[in-house]
Amino acid sequence: VCCICPSIRKCHFEVDEDVKELCEAIFGFTKQTGNFIKTGDIKENKQKYYIDTVEINKILLRDLGIKEENII
């Protein structure tokens, strides 16, 4: 059983292109970046993105063989 403590959810983790690209580079091996990186609004002429760190952790745990029902 794995418990994920309070983490930044996508609704609170708004980033610019550089952080999105870094996240894709680090976690791209999961082939699931579409599940944890969402396109946000354009603000001050910059495209914004939202990253869900809880979902990243869930993907990594499932890839390690932890059953979905054991991730809290």
Side-chain angles (χ1 to χ4, degrees):
V1 174
C2 289
C3 298
I4 300 174
C5 65
S7 302
I8 299 175
R9 295 246 181 208
K10 66 182 169 201
C11 57
H12 294 108
F13 193 17
E14 182 182 76
V15 300
D16 290 330
E17 182 83 22
D18 59 337
V19 176
K20 177 197 104 78
E21 289 176 355
L22 181 61
C23 197
E24 287 174 329
I26 293 170
F27 300 110
F29 72 93
T30 68
K31 308 283 190 250
Q32 297 182 54
T33 55
N35 291 341
F36 58 83
I37 299 175
K38 302 294 181 197
T39 303
D41 296 326
I42 296 175
K43 296 180 181 176
E44 298 177 10
N45 294 320
K46 287 185 176 182
Q47 180 65 60
K48 299 293 184 171
Y49 301 89
Y50 294 99
I51 298 175
D52 189 344
T53 62
V54 172
E55 187 59 30
I56 291 170
N57 285 310
K58 285 181 177 180
I59 291 167
L60 295 174
L61 290 167
R62 285 191 305 261
D63 285 353
L64 290 171
I66 306 287
K67 294 179 183 176
E68 182 76 31
E69 61 267 19
N70 291 330
I71 302 172
I72 302 166

